[in-house]
Amino acid sequence: MRSSTGKLLLLSRLRNRGKFVPGGGDGFRIPATRSSSCESQKMWSSRTVVPPSSDETSDKNSIDAGSSMRKPVSLWPGMYHSPVTNALWEARRHMFENPNGDESSHSKLTAKSPSRSRTSILYKFSSDFVLREQYRNPWNEIRTGKLVEDLDALAGTISFKHCGGDSSARSMILVTASVDRIIMKRPIRVDVDLSIVGAVTWVGRSSMEMQLQVIQSQDANESSESVALEANFTFVARDAKTGKSTPINPVSPETEHEKLLWKEAEERNKLRKQKRAEIKEEHEKLKDLERLDELLAEGRVFMDMPALADRNSILIKDTSHEYSLICQPQQRNIHGRIFGGFLMRKAFELAFSNAYTFAGVSPRFLEVDRVDFIKPVDVGNFLRFKSRVLYTEANNSAEPLINIEVVAHVTSPELRSSEVSNRFYFTFSVRPEAMKDGLRIRNVVPATEEEARRVIERMDAERPISLP
């Protein structure tokens, strides 16, 4: 009888020969040969992708998250690698090698239904031990940061499919413009199969919004599935030569559900514009400094009379955590810029660590607020992530909230300059059993006017608004 190690070596040899391995999934089949970088670049410049028609089987829109770990992966230039991004890039290669239709017939913008771009990633956690290990955290739960990274990667593939019918797609750059709230509806397990499903729901002139959902059964023995996480990504199209916005295919919702999603996306765009106007008005009102004074009152006690400060409070500056890195070529996308999902994962992991040390127990992720990509990040940039707890909400003792800000700075030592690239806002809580054991979440207070303004801005941004 072979040892377990011998079996693993045998399976590895079979996989490396490109042979089919039982349990290898039913996603895109990847050939055993590797493409050279020159071949890959030629593929990019000579072909335009046309997404499969809506009457094709749904299997062609399903990607096995573990497929890239079981089959050789072509090393596309400018590809950031993770288990899912590998599988997604192989899916795109499949589309390049098997285009549908004549390119000349797609020279004009064409309205497409959401079903044309609908794509899903399958995570076979229950049977794929290697994949499960990639996504398991120290508490045998899902690594949310990696899942957020995968959401961005899938959104990129969806935008790619939607714009694939345009003959100008080869000279088009599709980038993440913003991420609407990422809301965790319930805990996600790492031992139960799940899928991420998404499609284009709304299109402007040069921007598109996609809704992505993480779907999973609550128990391994249950067949019924429900939405565990939901997010909306906005991508914009830029001309590769001029950098200016370029038109994309409109979307034509067909079903009642698709029409409802389009309407909701349209409402979100109106609300965003209204909120920006309201926040601007609030900034003008801050001139009277009343709200600032209220927030700074306790901070002054910490600064002037620390022995009399409230022991259940802490200064914002004392909750700070930092992380720095040099952006490497392996983290770039096909446009040479750093992959947005990589930035979000790094920001999440720093925020999680901050919440962990602040609360003293493992935090529970709730949501990511809207993310705006202010400045692109390039290979070679010196990137600094700075996190701090902005404020806490302990009114609900069963589920106190910890609101954390992470700011990414692109620093140029040679130029002695530092610019903000991204701002991320995460909300965490703690498990109910921790609160029952007597855990108390401290109040966080600002010590400077700048900190007080940031707290007010975030509280205003979190405040729900409604259209008149």
Side-chain angles (χ1 to χ4, degrees):
M1 182 179 293
R2 283 193 179 96
S3 66
S4 58
T5 303
K7 291 180 180 178
L8 287 174
L9 288 173
L10 178 60
L11 286 173
S12 176
R13 293 190 187 112
L14 289 174
R15 290 166 186 162
N16 290 334
R17 291 172 186 166
K19 295 182 179 180
F20 174 75
V21 178
D26 55 359
F28 285 93
R29 300 302 186 203
I30 301 173
T33 58
R34 293 178 179 267
S35 300
S36 68
S37 296
C38 293
E39 290 173 340
S40 299
Q41 290 171 339
K42 182 178 179 182
M43 193 184 305
W44 269 107
S45 61
S46 63
R47 290 185 180 178
T48 301
V49 168
V50 179
S53 59
S54 57
D55 58 352
E56 291 184 358
T57 62
S58 59
D59 285 346
K60 292 188 177 181
N61 288 333
S62 297
I63 300 168
D64 181 358
S67 62
S68 66
M69 295 188 294
R70 290 188 291 272
K71 305 181 182 74
V73 177
S74 298
L75 298 179
W76 287 62
M79 184 181 86
Y80 173 68
H81 291 271
S82 74
V84 165
T85 53
N86 282 349
L88 287 169
W89 277 105
E90 285 301 328
R92 294 193 195 186
R93 184 171 68 82
H94 178 88
M95 288 188 283
F96 268 113
E97 294 174 345
N98 299 279
N100 261 338
D102 181 12
E103 182 179 315
S104 62
S105 65
H106 295 275
S107 58
K108 295 182 180 180
L109 296 179
T110 306
K112 295 184 177 182
S113 68
S115 61
R116 295 286 296 275
S117 63
R118 184 165 289 112
T119 310
S120 64
I121 302 176
L122 308 177
Y123 296 74
K124 300 180 180 180
F125 288 143
S126 63
S127 58
D128 194 331
F129 173 78
V130 176
L131 181 66
R132 186 164 69 248
E133 281 297 295
Q134 293 282 328
Y135 285 81
R136 183 175 66 85
N137 70 11
W139 300 276
N140 289 316
E141 297 170 346
I142 196 77
R143 284 183 64 184
T144 310
K146 287 185 70 67
L147 209 58
V148 169
E149 182 179 31
D150 293 349
L151 290 171
D152 184 72
L154 178 57
T157 293
I158 292 170
S159 68
F160 180 82
K161 291 177 72 173
H162 180 78
C163 296
D166 182 5
S167 61
S168 65
R170 73 188 67 182
S171 61
M172 184 186 296
I173 298 175
L174 296 167
V175 296
T176 312
S178 63
V179 182
D180 223 38
R181 276 198 172 98
I182 301 177
I183 301 176
M184 183 79 78
K185 296 179 178 293
R186 60 178 179 80
I188 298 175
R189 299 181 57 176
V190 77
D191 58 342
V192 178
D193 293 350
L194 66 79
S195 61
I196 304 178
V197 182
V200 172
T201 55
W202 176 89
V203 172
R205 178 185 173 274
S206 60
S207 62
M208 71 191 92
E209 183 173 304
M210 290 147 280
Q211 184 183 82
L212 280 73
Q213 295 179 324
V214 176
I215 300 173
Q216 185 182 54
S217 299
Q218 296 195 33
D219 188 270
N221 299 320
E222 291 183 5
S223 58
S224 59
E225 296 180 327
S226 61
V227 176
L229 182 147
E230 192 169 88
N232 293 287
F233 281 69
T234 300
F235 271 58
V236 294
R238 304 291 184 204
D239 186 275
K241 294 181 179 179
T242 65
K244 296 181 179 180
S245 62
T246 185
I248 59 176
N249 296 320
V251 67
S252 177
E254 296 176 338
T255 67
E256 289 302 317
H257 181 63
E258 290 171 352
K259 291 176 182 177
L260 176 62
L261 291 178
W262 187 93
K263 184 178 179 181
E264 289 175 350
E266 184 77 4
E267 288 293 306
R268 275 193 296 274
N269 277 276
K270 292 179 181 178
L271 287 172
R272 278 194 287 266
K273 293 178 181 178
Q274 180 180 336
K275 178 165 282 190
R276 281 195 293 266
E278 286 192 356
I279 291 175
K280 187 176 180 180
E281 291 177 5
E282 288 292 336
H283 290 173
E284 295 297 323
K285 294 177 182 178
L286 285 178
K287 291 179 180 179
D288 59 10
L289 300 181
E290 288 183 4
R291 295 177 72 188
L292 287 173
D293 283 340
E294 290 178 7
L295 283 173
L296 288 170
E298 190 173 351
R300 292 192 190 99
V301 176
F302 269 89
M303 302 301 292
D304 301 335
M305 297 172 286
L308 301 178
D310 186 353
R311 296 307 174 212
N312 291 320
S313 297
I314 186 173
L315 291 174
I316 288 178
K317 69 181 183 67
D318 292 332
T319 68
S320 298
H321 286 245
E322 293 190 17
Y323 174 78
S324 301
L325 60 90
I326 301 296
C327 298
Q328 303 294 336
Q330 295 80 10
Q331 295 150 4
R332 76 193 189 279
N333 59 24
I334 61 170
H335 309 300
R337 295 279 168 74
I338 299 303
F339 178 53
F342 172 80
L343 299 176
M344 286 197 291
R345 176 166 69 87
K346 288 296 183 182
F348 175 87
E349 290 175 351
L350 179 60
F352 184 94
S353 300
N354 199 333
Y356 192 7
T357 56
F358 176 78
V361 295
S362 174
R364 185 164 65 89
F365 168 70
L366 295 181
E367 69 177 51
V368 182
D369 197 6
R370 178 179 171 83
V371 178
D372 289 302
F373 291 82
I374 303 168
K375 177 181 172 60
V377 182
D378 296 316
V379 173
N381 280 164
F382 177 38
L383 196 62
R384 300 174 65 200
F385 291 90
K386 298 182 180 181
S387 75
R388 56 185 178 179
V389 180
L390 272 187
Y391 65 97
T392 59
E393 300 175 65
N395 295 333
N396 183 355
S397 59
E399 190 179 58
L401 303 181
I402 304 170
N403 297 273
I404 294 181
E405 175 189 63
V406 178
V407 182
H409 296 262
V410 175
T411 303
S412 300
E414 298 88 348
L415 302 176
R416 293 190 295 177
S417 66
S418 181
E419 297 180 85
V420 174
S421 168
N422 305 87
R423 290 184 186 274
F424 306 88
Y425 298 97
F426 301 91
T427 303
F428 294 89
S429 184
V430 295
R431 303 180 190 284
E433 52 267 28
M435 299 305 295
K436 292 178 181 178
D437 291 338
L439 177 70
R440 293 191 65 179
I441 298 300
R442 287 173 291 179
N443 183 38
V444 179
V445 296
T448 66
E449 187 173 313
E450 182 274 334
E451 291 175 346
R453 287 185 181 276
R454 293 301 301 148
V455 172
I456 291 173
E457 288 173 9
R458 287 312 308 157
M459 287 180 172
D460 290 344
E462 291 285 344
R463 187 181 67 248
I465 62 173
S466 57
L467 288 173

